Amino acid sequence: MERMATNNAELSYQSGLKRTIAAGTEEEELELNKLYDYLHKQLSISRTDRLGGRALATWDPNEKAVRVLRKDGKFGTFGYSHGGQCYLENFEALFLLEMNRLQLEYHSMIMSVEQAYTLLLGEAATTKCNEYLVYSHLTRVGYILVRHQNVPYYDNIEPTAEDCVWALALSAINNRAVPENLKKSPFFAKVKREMKVIKECIKNQQFPEQKQLDKTDSGVINFGVKVISKGKRKILNDEVENPTEAKRRCLEVATSQKSFLDCLKDEPEYKQFQMIFTKFDIIQMDDNNMVTDDEVRTLPITFDLYLHNDGFKKSTPKPPTFRLIILGVHEPFPTHAEIANTYNLQKYPVPLLVVSVGESKQIQALVYYFS
């Protein structure tokens, strides 16, 4: 194996301020020639490589994809089957080529990484470059990315009564079709009848009388039942045992010069409502920023992202953890209406991960959760 000897006189590295040379001068030409010579020497060094640890693949011009001829190592998260053959997505083949796990041939000739970039990503500027940049970065840090498939994923999941409620609500509000597996659920018919009864009660303004709440009631408040006021509050247990307790509380309010309505803040009903509303994250929407349907962009989902420790299987995948939307350099971040529209177009809704690629190829990501 050859060893390269570096000429210190020819390549001298100095620390200090950035060197600036005027364009088109003789000094700039000499500096560039030195850099070109150094790059040529680096590329001409003899390198040894181990061919036994790489898979073998060739470019299939009919399918416009990379066909695997020989596997080496684990291919659990890479490739797909088509016509009895194993194929790789363009971004998968380029990633394995960069990781030195694949030898790619084109008409029986071994391709270099630069040639593979031109073949798999194209010479013209397209979105494929940003897609591969995001795929390569997230795959290297341990995530599993596959091409997005908008499938329901309901076959391997047993639906619950809550799933039936949400499906019927979304069907009524957003005209979203109810999945077939939910219609076959034993909860579906019962939930549909109960929601129909509630709907008729709301339309006719008929509500059953609600029981008085007690301190021992630790359940969730039923917002579907109307509270009928009798004009008087219920006497508390400590006031029954000690009749002067109510007078003492009123006297404390009077001496503090506060409103007598503050006494109601000690009631169990108020505390239950307060505990529930503290969990809400209320955002005031600005009506002036609302856009029309014509201005709402359709954001394409590129990848489905899985965590590495969730037992991912290519043959029977589970619902992804996130779905990725990749934005270009000059594309603005999506609005609330655009994100909501993209989320509702999913057959199995999961959180969205919006990834923006900057001019310097830096990646910024923002997760959108919906509840």
Side-chain angles (χ1 to χ4, degrees), residues 113-150:
V113 178
E114 182 181 0
Q115 292 171 336
Y117 265 96
T118 304
L119 176 66
L120 301 177
L121 299 183
E123 298 182 4
T126 60
T127 58
K128 293 182 178 180
C129 182
N130 290 336
E131 292 176 1
Y132 174 70
L133 185 67
V134 174
Y135 173 84
S136 176
H137 176 75
L138 295 180
T139 304
R140 289 173 190 269
V141 298
Y143 296 108
I144 299 174
L145 273 71
V146 297
R147 179 69 70 181
H148 168 62
Q149 295 180 350
N150 194 12

Side-chain angles (χ1 to χ4, degrees), residues 12 14 17-21 27 31:
S12 59
Q14 299 178 358
L17 298 177
K18 180 179 178 180
R19 299 180 60 185
T20 56
I21 303 175
E27 186 179 1
E31 186 72 18

Side-chain angles (χ1 to χ4, degrees), residues 230-295:
K230 297 181 179 179
K232 296 182 180 180
R233 70 175 182 88
K234 184 180 178 181
I235 300 178
L236 302 180
N237 293 333
D238 57 348
E239 295 176 354
V240 175
E241 298 175 358
N242 187 6
T244 59
E245 181 66 22
K247 295 182 178 180
R248 185 187 63 81
R249 290 183 179 178
C250 294
L251 182 60
E252 291 179 355
V253 173
T255 55
S256 61
Q257 296 182 355
K258 294 181 179 180
S259 173
F260 281 96
L261 294 177
D262 292 337
C263 295
L264 299 177
K265 295 182 179 180
D266 296 331
E267 302 296 329
E269 295 91 339
Y270 178 85
K271 292 182 179 180
Q272 287 187 354
F273 274 102
Q274 187 181 34
M275 183 173 55
I276 291 176
F277 280 102
T278 52
K279 301 178 181 179
F280 291 167
D281 186 10
I282 302 176
I283 301 176
Q284 184 68 33
M285 302 298 294
D286 189 0
D287 296 336
N288 297 328
N289 295 332
M290 299 300 292
V291 296
T292 61
D293 295 338
D294 297 335
E295 298 175 350

Side-chain angles (χ1 to χ4, degrees), residues 92-217:
E92 293 177 334
L94 191 55
F95 176 78
L96 292 174
L97 191 65
E98 285 189 344
M99 299 297 292
N100 199 25
R101 291 184 54 189
L102 179 70
Q103 177 178 311
L104 182 59
E105 296 182 351
Y106 185 83
H107 294 289
S108 302
M109 299 293 294
I110 300 177
M111 298 185 65
S112 64
V113 178
E114 182 181 0
Q115 292 171 336
Y117 265 96
T118 304
L119 176 66
L120 301 177
L121 299 183
E123 298 182 4
T126 60
T127 58
K128 293 182 178 180
C129 182
N130 290 336
E131 292 176 1
Y132 174 70
L133 185 67
V134 174
Y135 173 84
S136 176
H137 176 75
L138 295 180
T139 304
R140 289 173 190 269
V141 298
Y143 296 108
I144 299 174
L145 273 71
V146 297
R147 179 69 70 181
H148 168 62
Q149 295 180 350
N150 194 12
V151 294
Y153 291 105
Y154 285 110
D155 296 335
N156 300 326
I157 300 176
E158 188 68 24
T160 62
E162 289 78 7
D163 296 332
C164 298
V165 172
W166 280 110
L168 289 170
L170 293 175
S171 175
I173 297 173
N174 296 333
N175 294 324
R176 184 183 295 179
V178 179
E180 293 297 329
N181 70 313
L182 291 181
K183 293 181 179 179
K184 299 177 182 178
S185 172
F187 305 104
F188 183 76
K190 180 180 178 181
V191 170
K192 188 174 182 179
R193 287 196 304 269
E194 292 178 353
M195 294 186 68
K196 186 176 181 180
V197 172
I198 295 175
K199 180 180 177 181
E200 293 298 326
C201 291
I202 295 175
K203 290 172 60 177
N204 300 328
Q205 292 296 311
Q206 297 177 355
F207 300 96
E209 184 177 355
Q210 184 186 20
K211 297 181 180 179
Q212 292 290 337
L213 294 175
D214 200 345
K215 283 187 176 181
T216 58
D217 296 337

